[in-house]
């Protein structure tokens, strides 16, 4: 199916939305939505995004590497930099840990250096969806990047005609070498003067990572020199070798005025599969055609939600957030269905049209990104669920933060089950083997001694912690035995409730009852004296002394936060939670304290993820993301509406430092998208949303039933409070929107006021 056929329904929706608009008012649908996307948003501060060329959820993220070490190198790029070390084809978007940076290329001229470095200025840098361009000042080279799903395409214009035209393939390049990331070996084959292929093996956050590639040049090289640990020798090809040293291949190209084009196909399986991917996706050399195809694909994605706003900042933030919400997870599958599984073996997908995916930042994205997709792209949402189940079948446990066929074990609990439970709750899993899904949840919720033995001595051992063991044996996690005990406990309680919902749908009633019981284990941590979730010691007492402001990254009782931020987490049992704490009035008082108390964080090792503070609320980190909406469970929802207004207008800006914390593979952006529309999934796994404070004037969302329209009357910065809500002309009767209502299409009218 060609690109225009594939996206015709989406473009048709855009035209339908345009046809429904009043001719006297300017609408977003009359413009190219790409103009509102700025890939540089989030590249400054601690956003950790990258500006390079990619397609939605693609294997390739072709981007410059300007930052190689430290926290700000997580994506390989930072807005403050002025040097480019390479252009590599794989990158993480908005993470707090770095990896990838595979297959690094750098054009250069006029120097004979083992490792040249390019200089650039921001004024000569351009980025838009599917395209990146920069002028390398010290080499006089205009460098442009675009891509298909599995192939990167580079166009180089060497402007100094009398200078050498050179290209470096740096097979020793890596991101985050100071965090233990290293190249293990290279299989390299130089086929001829215009074709190079191989496999690049690394060890880092992904314990066993391999990336195969094939590189084709539009102009054959005059000669090549291969450097091994700095010692160079001219290449006579064909050449095939395996080497564990630092390899750098310099290609010397003939002088000329025609641009040089470089195609790089990727595969996680083999160089031969990379050749198949390249042949299928990019059999030609037409750079502008690929760039325009990418733009058309991104238009289709952005057009799933058409918004109107008088505020250009809202438009830019919203559509850039839509863009960032469609970068991860990455498709990990070749064009013919082959992929490398969590068992490190090669498999072929029985449903190749589904794709197989990696880079699920689940601790972050289960909260909003995956629920958003159930609305605007339910087929893709289900494909992600199937991919997680495939991971279970290959590795016998659901992943926590899978990266390139590796279990990283990053972050607490087992939130794959949240993604699965949300699909079940929203009727998207009716044709799936739900008993298998329940089995996967159960086997992922317990301590796995078999996997502890299997993963011994590897980075993947981080997946197997003893937190579930104590939950099973004691019903709580003793804080004097393990760190982050409170965070693990309350999040496992939610995940166990999710397993109960899957089991219930599968007809496994006794299992559902057991996991519903486990879902209430969070109550053991509630301390009525402090009105906070407090760590419990092995003898059953609360930790004393207790400082709710204290944070020590990876060492305290709370993950990337403190007691204030973690004391509002029981989204699956809000009525039980409210009863446990003593009533709605107590919840409201606790929320008031959270948002108005001092923002001081105590501790010399406090987590750098605690950013975007309003009192002790920390919007820069995900555990806080649902909290403002909890005012809907009190007598004062207007307080939450005012806070949401402040969060959206203060912590999201159309600037490089415009994301207040790590973007986290689309979660920070998905939060903005849904909150700007005016509703939010407080509890994925419940098919409902809480209405907050919309900041768009109007929105039209493509849903299964047609179009769901949101009209916001009297919207302004002053009018931040909800006066009334109507659905298809009738009062909604509260601030809860059902997913079935949304999916069916219709019109939601939200009237705003400046009165409380």
């Amino acid at each position: 199916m060609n690109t225009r056929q594939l996206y015709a329904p989406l473009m048709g929706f855009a035209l339908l939305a345009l046809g429904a608009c009043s001719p006297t008012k300017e609408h977003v649908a009359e413009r190219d939505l790409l103009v509102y996307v700025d890939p540089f948003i989030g590249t400054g501060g601690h956003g950790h995004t990258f500006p390079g060329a990619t397609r939605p959820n693609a294997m390739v993220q072709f981007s410059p590497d300007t930052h190689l070490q430290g926290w700000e190198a997580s994506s390989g790029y930072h807005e403050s930099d002025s040097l480019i070390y390479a252009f590599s084809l794989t990158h993480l978007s908005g993470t707090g840990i770095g990896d990838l940076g595979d297959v690094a290329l750098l054009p250069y001229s006029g120097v004979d250096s083992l490792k040249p470095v390019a200089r650039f200025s921001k004024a000569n840098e351009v980025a838009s969806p599917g395209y990146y361009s920069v002028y390398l000042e010290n080499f006089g080279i205009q460098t442009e990047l675009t891509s298909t799903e599995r192939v990167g395409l580079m166009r180089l214009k060497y402007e100094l005609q009398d200078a050498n035209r050179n290209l470096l393939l740096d097979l020793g390049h890596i991101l985050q070498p100071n965090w233990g990331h290293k190249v293990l070996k290279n299989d390299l084959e130089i086929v001829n003067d215009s074709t190079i292929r191989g496999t690049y093996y690394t060890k880092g956050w992904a314990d066993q990572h391999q990336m195969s590639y094939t590189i084709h040049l539009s102009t054959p090289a005059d000669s090549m020199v291969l450097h091994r640990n700095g010692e160079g020798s001219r290449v006579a090809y064909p050449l095939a070798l395996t080497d564990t040293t630092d390899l750098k291949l310099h290609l010397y190209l003939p002088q000329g005025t025609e641009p040089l084009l470089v195609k790089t196909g990727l595969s996680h399986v083999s160089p031969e599969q990379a050749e198949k991917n390249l042949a299928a996706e990019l059999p030609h050399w037409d750079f502008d055609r690929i760039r325009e195809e990418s733009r058309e694909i991104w238009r289709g994605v952005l057009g799933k939600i058409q918004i109107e706003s008088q505020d250009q900042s809202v438009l830019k933030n919203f559509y850039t957030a839509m863009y960032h919400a469609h970068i991860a997870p990455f498709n990990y599958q070749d064009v013919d269905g082959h992929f490398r599984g969590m068992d490190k073996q090669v498999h072929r997908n029985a449903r190749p049209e589904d794709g197989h995916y990696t880079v699920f930042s689940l601790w972050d994205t289960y909260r909003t990104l995956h629920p958003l997709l159930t609305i605007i792209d339910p087929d893709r949402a289900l494909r992600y669920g199937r991919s997680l189940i495939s991971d279970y079948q290959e590795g016998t446990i659901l992943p926590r933060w899978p990266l390139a066929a590796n279990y990283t074990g990053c972050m607490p609990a087992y939130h794959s089950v949240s993604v699965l439970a949300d699909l079940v709750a929203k009727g998207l899993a009716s044709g799936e083997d739900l008993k298998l899904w329940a089995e996967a949840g159960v086997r992922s919720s317990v301590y796995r001694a078999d996997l502890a033995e299997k993963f011994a001595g590897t980075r993947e051992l981080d997946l197997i912690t003893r937190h579930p063991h104590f939950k099973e044996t004691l019903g709580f996690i003793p804080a004097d035995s393990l760190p982050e005990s409170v965070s693990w406990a309350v999040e496992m309680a939610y995940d166990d409730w999710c397993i109960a919902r899957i089991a219930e749908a599968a007809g496994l009633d006794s299992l559902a009852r057991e996991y519903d019981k486990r879902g209430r284990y969070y109550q053991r941590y509630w301390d009525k004296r402090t009105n906070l979730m407090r760590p419990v010691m092995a003898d059953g007492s609360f930790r004393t002394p207790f400082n709710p402001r204290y944070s020590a990254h990876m060492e305290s009782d709370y993950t990337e936060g403190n007691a204030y931020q973690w004391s509002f987490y029981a989204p699956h049992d809000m009525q039980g939670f409210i009863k446990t704490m003593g009533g709605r009035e107590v919840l409201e008082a606790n929320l008031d304290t959270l948002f108005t108390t001092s923002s001081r964080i105590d501790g010399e090792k406090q987590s750098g993820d605690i950013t975007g503070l309003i009192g002790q609320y920390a919007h820069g980190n995900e555990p806080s993301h649902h909290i403002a909406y909890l005012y809907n469970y009190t007598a004062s929802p207007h307080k939450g509406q005012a806070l949401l207004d402040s969060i959206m207008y203060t912590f999201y800006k159309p600037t490089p430092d415009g994301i207040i914390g790590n973007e986290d593979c689309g979660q920070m952006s998905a939060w903005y998208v849904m909150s700007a529309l005016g509703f939010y999934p407080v509890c994925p796994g419940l098919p409902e949303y809480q209405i907050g404070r919309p900041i768009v004037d109007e929105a039209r969302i493509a849903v299964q039933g047609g179009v769901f329209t949101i009209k916001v009357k009297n919207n302004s910065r002053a009018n931040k409070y909800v006066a009334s809500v109507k659905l298809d002309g009738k009062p909604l009767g509260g601030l809860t929107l059902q997913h079935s209502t949304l999916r069916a299409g219709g019109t939601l009218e939200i009237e705003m006021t400046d009165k409380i």
Side-chain angles (χ1 to χ4, degrees):
M1 183 181 292
N2 66 44
T3 302
R4 292 188 184 277
Q5 289 173 326
L6 180 63
Y7 286 91
L10 295 174
M11 298 311 293
F13 165 72
L15 293 173
L16 174 65
L18 174 58
C21 296
S22 167
T24 61
K25 187 176 181 181
E26 182 180 3
H27 295 279
V28 168
E30 297 170 358
R31 301 186 186 178
D32 186 347
L33 297 181
L34 297 181
V35 303
Y36 299 115
V37 178
D38 181 359
F40 290 112
I41 292 176
T43 60
H46 304 308
H48 296 177
T49 63
F50 63 83
T54 190
R55 286 186 178 179
N57 308 101
M59 187 181 291
V60 168
Q61 309 84 36
F62 205 176
S63 192
D65 292 341
T66 68
H67 217 96
L68 303 182
Q69 302 195 61
W71 197 36
E72 310 300 4
S74 295
S75 73
Y77 183 96
H78 196 268
E79 187 268 341
S80 62
D81 297 327
S82 58
L83 300 177
I84 294 176
Y85 300 97
F87 298 92
S88 62
L89 277 90
T90 60
H91 295 87
L92 297 171
S93 178
T95 59
I97 305 176
D99 204 292
L100 305 183
D102 300 310
V103 193
L105 298 163
L106 184 72
Y108 68 99
S109 65
V111 296
D112 187 11
S113 170
L114 175 64
K115 183 64 182 83
V117 176
R119 293 197 307 269
F120 75 105
S121 67
K122 299 296 176 184
N124 295 321
E125 205 180 18
V126 175
S128 63
Y131 176 76
Y132 174 85
S133 174
V134 66
Y135 182 70
L136 308 183
E137 295 175 341
N138 53 325
F139 300 140
I141 304 171
Q142 187 67 42
T143 302
E144 297 174 280
L145 311 177
T146 191
S147 63
T148 66
E149 187 154 342
R150 301 169 181 86
V151 184
L153 181 59
M154 172 183 277
R155 181 164 64 184
L156 304 171
K157 298 176 182 177
Y158 295 78
E159 297 185 355
L160 304 177
Q161 298 304 320
D162 57 346
N164 297 325
R165 301 205 305 169
N166 307 328
L167 180 67
L168 169 64
L169 171 60
D170 187 353
L171 296 174
H173 178 84
I174 208 72
L175 299 177
Q176 302 284 25
N178 59 331
W179 285 9
H181 195 194
K182 58 185 177 181
V183 179
L184 298 179
K185 70 171 182 173
N186 277 280
D187 293 335
L188 177 64
E189 181 184 4
I190 302 175
V191 179
N192 53 42
D193 56 6
S194 59
T195 305
I196 303 158
R197 58 192 179 205
T199 302
Y200 185 67
Y201 301 86
T202 65
K203 181 182 181 68
W205 190 19
D207 189 70
Q208 302 174 53
H209 174 48
Q210 63 185 77
M211 175 63 78
S212 296
Y213 59 89
T214 182
I215 299 171
H216 292 198
L217 306 177
S218 63
T219 301
D222 281 342
S223 63
M224 303 182 195
V225 173
L226 180 63
H227 291 261
R228 304 185 193 187
N229 282 342
E231 296 293 326
S233 60
R234 185 178 291 271
V235 173
Y237 32 78
L239 172 69
L241 59 86
T242 295
D243 206 309
T244 58
T245 62
D246 181 5
L247 294 183
K248 290 178 170 50
L249 180 64
H250 291 257
L251 290 73
Y252 301 101
L253 298 136
Q255 291 186 348
T257 59
E258 289 297 312
L260 171 68
L261 289 105
V262 184
K263 295 191 287 192
T264 305
L266 298 185
S267 167
H268 293 274
V269 174
S270 68
E272 292 75 21
Q273 287 293 114
E275 287 282 2
K276 285 185 181 180
N277 292 341
L278 187 148
E281 294 186 356
L282 191 51
H284 58 81
W285 293 97
D286 192 336
F287 185 96
D288 293 327
R289 173 180 162 187
I290 294 300
R291 177 187 178 186
E292 186 50 43
E293 286 178 0
S294 293
R295 290 169 63 82
E296 195 75 3
I297 290 170
W298 278 113
R299 287 186 185 103
V301 168
L302 301 176
K304 292 176 181 178
I305 305 178
Q306 300 273 350
I307 69 165
E308 297 173 16
S309 175
Q310 303 300 316
D311 189 333
Q312 291 292 304
S313 293
V314 170
L315 292 170
K316 290 179 180 179
N317 287 335
F318 186 91
Y319 284 108
T320 302
M322 280 284 285
Y323 169 79
H324 281 141
H326 285 85
I327 291 178
F330 304 162
N331 196 347
Y332 199 57
Q333 175 184 289
D334 294 332
V335 291
D336 61 2
H338 284 94
F339 65 93
R340 190 170 299 279
M342 301 302 286
D343 56 2
K344 312 301 185 289
Q345 302 302 307
V346 175
H347 302 265
R348 187 165 190 175
N349 198 337
R351 290 190 184 99
E353 67 278 7
D354 277 359
H356 188 80
Y357 297 87
T358 189
V359 185
F360 286 86
S361 184
L362 289 164
W363 185 78
D364 310 293
T365 58
Y366 87 85
R367 304 169 196 267
T368 320
L369 175 62
H370 292 281
L372 171 64
L373 294 175
T374 66
I375 300 169
I376 65 174
D377 199 343
D379 290 340
R380 180 173 291 277
L382 179 56
R383 291 200 298 273
Y384 289 160
R386 288 172 174 165
S387 188
L388 293 171
I389 289 295
S390 176
D391 289 345
Y392 165 71
Q393 291 175 305
E394 298 145 22
T396 77
I397 189 170
L398 289 166
R400 297 199 328 261
W401 233 116
L403 173 58
N406 283 259
Y407 291 107
T408 70
C410 190
M411 311 310 291
Y414 26 90
H415 292 308
S416 289
V417 299
S418 173
V419 176
L420 300 176
D422 205 41
L423 293 169
V424 169
K426 294 172 179 174
L428 298 177
S430 57
E432 305 303 307
D433 184 350
L434 295 187
K435 289 186 177 179
L436 173 63
W437 287 29
E439 173 195 301
V442 169
R443 294 197 72 199
S444 303
S445 71
V446 297
Y447 178 70
R448 294 287 300 277
D450 59 324
L451 293 181
E453 180 179 354
K454 176 182 177 180
F455 293 144
T458 75
R459 176 72 171 79
E460 291 185 289
L461 183 61
D462 287 355
L463 177 68
I464 310 301
T465 77
R466 296 188 65 80
H467 296 86
H469 165 74
F470 285 112
K471 177 195 70 171
E472 296 161 36
T473 57
L474 298 179
F476 68 95
I477 303 166
D480 40 358
S481 296
L482 290 171
E484 302 183 352
S485 61
V486 178
S487 300
W488 269 89
V490 298
E491 292 206 303
M492 284 195 296
Y494 163 72
D495 283 343
D496 286 345
W497 174 87
C498 289
I499 293 171
R501 302 287 68 74
I502 299 168
E504 184 178 54
L508 304 173
D509 294 339
S510 62
L511 182 64
R513 287 192 294 272
E514 170 60 25
Y515 273 80
D516 268 328
K517 178 181 177 182
R518 296 183 182 206
R520 295 188 288 274
Y521 281 1
Y522 73 88
Q523 295 173 352
R524 180 66 182 81
Y525 288 83
W526 186 257
D527 174 23
K528 288 191 175 183
R529 188 172 68 83
T530 61
N531 280 331
L532 294 168
M533 294 286 191
R534 188 169 172 181
V536 179
M537 310 301 280
D539 63 5
S541 64
F542 287 121
R543 182 187 289 281
T544 302
F546 172 60
N547 179 357
R549 299 180 186 276
Y550 179 75
S551 168
H553 191 68
M554 300 181 71
E555 296 179 9
S556 68
D557 301 309
Y558 306 89
T559 301
E560 297 180 358
N562 62 26
Y564 278 111
Q565 291 129 31
W566 277 99
S567 292
F568 297 89
Y569 193 81
H572 58 294
D573 187 30
M574 282 305 300
Q575 296 310 312
F577 184 33
I578 291 169
K579 183 178 179 181
T580 297
M581 68 173 61
R584 290 200 310 163
E585 297 80 5
V586 178
L587 172 60
E588 183 174 346
N590 293 346
L591 288 168
D592 291 346
T593 298
L594 174 76
F595 285 104
T596 60
T597 191
S598 165
S599 294
R600 188 187 82 243
I601 306 293
D602 294 338
E604 295 180 357
K605 299 180 181 179
Q606 61 186 253
S607 177
D609 295 284
I610 305 175
T611 57
L613 287 165
I614 302 176
Q616 286 287 316
Y617 171 91
H619 189 73
N621 211 23
E622 281 69 21
S624 289
H625 277 190
H626 69 295
I627 296 178
Y629 289 92
L630 297 187
Y631 274 110
N632 280 15
Y633 298 88
T634 75
S636 303
H638 66 275
K639 294 180 179 178
Q641 293 156 15
L643 287 161
L644 290 167
D645 178 273
S646 178
I647 293 165
M648 283 185 275
Y649 282 109
T650 304
F651 296 145
Y652 292 86
K653 303 285 187 181
T655 59
D657 61 352
I659 301 176
I660 200 64
N662 297 164
E663 209 280 324
D664 285 320
C665 295
Q667 168 57 25
M668 289 287 287
S669 291
W671 186 95
Y672 183 87
V673 168
M674 294 201 72
S675 294
L677 294 173
F679 59 95
Y680 188 79
V682 167
C683 181
L686 279 179
E688 64 183 36
Y689 309 93
Q690 292 301 312
I691 291 175
R693 186 277 195 256
I695 61 171
V696 302
D697 297 329
E698 187 170 325
R700 293 171 296 282
I701 308 169
V703 295
Q704 287 178 314
V707 179
F708 187 79
T709 300
I710 300 170
K711 295 184 177 181
V712 185
K713 295 184 177 181
N714 302 324
N715 182 39
S716 70
R717 289 303 309 274
N719 295 344
K720 63 185 69 173
Y721 305 110
V722 174
S724 66
V725 183
K726 293 181 180 179
L727 179 65
D728 294 331
K730 299 178 181 179
L732 183 64
L735 292 174
T736 301
L737 176 67
Q738 298 299 320
H739 180 77
S740 57
T741 300
L742 176 63
R743 180 177 58 193
T747 300
L748 187 74
E749 297 179 31
I750 304 176
E751 184 176 358
M752 307 302 294
T753 179
D754 60 353
K755 305 293 191 298
I756 296 175

